[in-house]
Amino acid sequence: MPEASSGFTPPTPPSAVSPSAPPTPPIRLTELLAREELRLRRIAGPAEAELLWVHTSEMADPYPYLLGGELLLSAGVLLKDPDAYVARLMEAGAAALGFGVTPVFDTVPQALIEACDRQGLPLVEVPPETPFTAIARAVWRLMAEARHRELRRVTRAQQALATAAARPDPVPAVLHQLAAQLGGRAVLLAADGEELHTAGRRPAPDVGAALARLTRVVSAVTRPAPTSATDTVRDAHLSAYALGGGQGLVLALATDRREASDHTIAGVAVVLLSLLAAPHQGADAAGRSAALVRLLLGADPQDVAPLLGGAERWTVVHARRSGDGPVDPLTAGALGAALGSALVDAGRGGDAVRVLVPGDERITPQPGWTLGASAPAPITALDLADGQASRALGRAAATRTPLAHHHAGPGLGLTALIPPDQAEAHARALLAPLTDPLAETLRCWLSLHGSWDRTATALQVHRNTVRQRIARCAALLDMDLDDMDVRTELWFALRQR
């Protein structure tokens, strides 16, 4: 016998919705009851229920035709045993029962009211003047409105997350925006469980422990593991998502509520974080970055030149975040990508980054960073370029400019008149009493026109330290550093080092 139907076609079920769009959210029974034109009245069972469908059936046992989540509408044509009938509806996962009075029953049977109260199924009285199709249309309109709200929410979240991903600190910015959009806690974890970034309020200890356990479900890199997992602890909804890229990174979320579009919004964040965390030039990126570190730490350039590709000239960039705090590898990698290079060294005390940029392209300022750039140099002179970039960064910090370039000598004037070997010999003899730190302090101090504060900022030392070093230089050189002729001669000598 075919199942009777109201003719209402429900919205697409959540399981069939495209992953790019949020599923249709369920409709709360209270929203439907609030529609005054329907004159519906709950007379038994709990007040809260979520409706996914509307279905009409006059079968004695509609169980085989139910999917779960239905508001089942019936006039009780074949109702014989209310307890058994309600039990089958509960077993099928029906959300609520709407019982239409007349023509079969003048009132809702008391036995049905008691069965629904006893088994916890919401029971709604449908008056004679309200057609079942009107209820179906009302649910459809409520679903359409909820769907529209969810789409707008997802669109706003996508825009906010994309904007966050374009910031100088994209990974923490995306996490903070995600936590704000979902109203909870967002954590990015490494494969070993270390928290790399966090955003949002910290959950209760037991919720945090449950979230840590959940992340281990999806973080396995040596065995098959699901890409996502969910759990609920008390009133907290927990989710964990494995990021792409094979690095074992996991995004973990803890929220007080779970909306239909949360999974879609989290999916957007997963894609963005996977892209931000992925190596920018494939599997050999780690080897190339290691080559950079070896070069700048003094390895023989000829040993690592083959790893750096075909570029003949390179620019060394030293960078420091405009704000306080250490720079993590993901944020450093984002800076390298913005400068067009995957050769990034973020291991210098946690607050400075070095990037090796191929070619002669002029470096441009980057929002949120203070940069110092060397002159383009061959591989064999990268150690000198490293020093140039360091001094340029110090000058940029001291003058509060976002970018400073090393200015190579023009090859004209006094320098061009003196043979290089004689100039270098004079510089070695004149500066022989000075150690490298003293000579670098003197060079920086002269380049900043004798400013104690700017020199201290450039060298990241206290201004009294600068004063002591400059006084020590004057004593060792036995020169009056207030004399302009002395300063000029020392500047010329320091330029030959």
Side-chain angles (χ1 to χ4, degrees):
M1 177 179 179
E3 178 70 352
S5 171
S6 66
F8 166 66
T9 302
T12 305
S15 60
V17 175
S18 166
S20 62
T24 300
I27 301 304
R28 291 184 174 87
L29 178 61
T30 52
E31 294 181 71
L32 182 63
L33 296 177
R35 303 294 289 256
E36 295 181 358
E37 72 277 10
L38 297 177
R39 300 181 181 179
L40 302 178
R41 185 168 65 95
R42 182 182 62 86
I43 58 176
E48 294 297 327
E50 293 187 337
L51 313 178
L52 291 174
W53 323 88
V54 175
H55 187 64
T56 300
S57 173
E58 296 300 343
M59 297 186 69
D61 181 11
Y63 174 93
Y65 301 94
L66 300 183
L67 297 175
E70 292 91 351
L71 167 62
L72 180 65
L73 301 176
S74 175
V77 174
L78 298 180
L79 180 64
K80 303 298 182 183
D81 184 346
D83 275 315
Y85 183 76
V86 172
R88 290 293 280 172
L89 295 185
M90 293 294 292
E91 187 178 353
L97 172 62
F99 195 87
V101 295
T102 69
V104 182
F105 292 90
D106 292 334
T107 61
V108 180
Q110 184 62 34
L112 182 61
I113 295 175
E114 294 173 358
C116 287
D117 266 332
R118 193 161 44 246
Q119 300 187 49
L121 180 68
L123 176 60
V124 176
E125 180 186 67
V126 182
E129 63 270 21
T130 302
F132 285 178
T133 53
I135 298 174
R137 289 193 184 99
V139 170
W140 181 85
R141 291 190 187 98
L142 289 170
M143 285 187 170
E145 293 169 2
R147 171 74 166 171
H148 185 60
R149 288 195 301 269
E150 291 298 293
L151 286 173
R152 285 189 299 176
R153 180 182 182 229
V154 169
T155 300
R156 289 195 298 266
Q158 287 176 332
Q159 294 172 344
L161 290 169
T163 300
R167 288 173 53 87
D169 50 351
V171 173
V174 168
L175 285 179
H176 279 285
Q177 189 57 240
L178 180 61
Q181 293 291 331
L182 300 184
R185 176 81 163 177
V187 185
L188 181 64
L189 301 102
D192 59 0
E194 177 189 0
E195 292 188 355
L196 301 177
H197 292 285
T198 62
R201 64 185 184 280
R202 184 175 294 277
D206 58 334
V207 174
L211 188 61
R213 290 193 298 271
L214 189 65
T215 59
R216 290 194 288 270
V217 174
V218 301
S219 64
V221 294
T222 59
R223 60 176 176 81
T227 57
S228 64
T230 61
D231 194 7
T232 301
V233 176
R234 291 189 283 117
D235 294 329
H237 299 279
L238 312 180
S239 305
Y241 301 85
L243 270 60
Q247 302 177 71
L249 297 177
V250 175
L251 171 64
L253 303 172
T255 59
D256 293 336
R257 65 182 190 277
R258 182 172 289 167
E259 303 292 342
S261 56
D262 285 358
H263 182 70
T264 302
I265 294 172
V268 174
V270 167
V271 172
L272 290 173
L273 292 171
S274 296
L275 292 173
L276 293 169
H280 294 285
Q281 293 194 16
D284 62 339
R288 288 172 177 257
S289 294
L292 166 66
V293 175
R294 289 173 57 197
L295 278 170
L296 297 184
L297 293 181
D300 186 347
Q302 301 303 326
D303 290 343
V304 291
L307 297 176
L308 294 178
E312 295 183 358
R313 293 164 67 82
W314 298 80
T315 299
V316 180
V317 177
H318 282 218
R320 187 174 294 118
R321 288 291 306 280
S322 298
D324 297 329
V327 179
D328 63 276
L330 298 182
T331 302
L335 172 64
L339 295 175
S341 176
L343 301 179
V344 179
D345 173 21
R348 306 186 65 207
D351 63 345
V353 177
R354 291 184 291 185
V355 183
L356 189 58
V357 181
D360 294 338
E361 295 294 329
R362 192 166 181 83
I363 305 302
T364 57
Q366 299 298 318
W369 292 90
T370 300
L371 307 179
S374 73
I379 291 176
T380 54
L382 284 180
D383 55 342
L384 297 178
D386 188 38
Q388 293 173 0
S390 178
R391 291 189 290 273
L393 176 60
R395 188 167 69 254
T399 57
R400 298 183 180 181
T401 56
L403 169 65
H405 287 273
H406 172 77
H407 297 291
L412 301 174
L414 181 62
T415 302
L417 297 176
I418 302 176
D421 55 344
Q422 295 183 23
E424 292 176 7
H426 173 72
R428 284 196 301 271
L430 181 62
L431 302 174
L434 302 184
T435 62
D436 287 342
L438 289 177
E440 185 58 34
T441 301
L442 180 59
R443 180 205 294 266
C444 184
W445 182 71
L446 291 173
S447 72
L448 294 171
H449 311 291
S451 170
W452 306 111
D453 290 332
R454 287 186 171 186
T455 304
T457 300
L459 297 177
Q460 293 189 293
V461 297
H462 195 275
R463 66 195 307 271
N464 289 341
T465 302
V466 176
R467 288 182 177 274
Q468 293 169 2
R469 290 180 182 177
I470 296 303
R472 182 63 175 161
C473 289
L476 291 173
L477 296 172
D478 193 20
M479 291 181 172
D480 180 6
L481 299 186
D482 290 330
D483 188 317
M484 190 61 197
D485 289 337
V486 171
R487 291 192 181 193
T488 301
E489 183 175 3
L490 287 173
W491 179 248
F492 173 80
L494 287 165
R495 297 272 292 177
Q496 312 309 310
R497 284 172 60 93

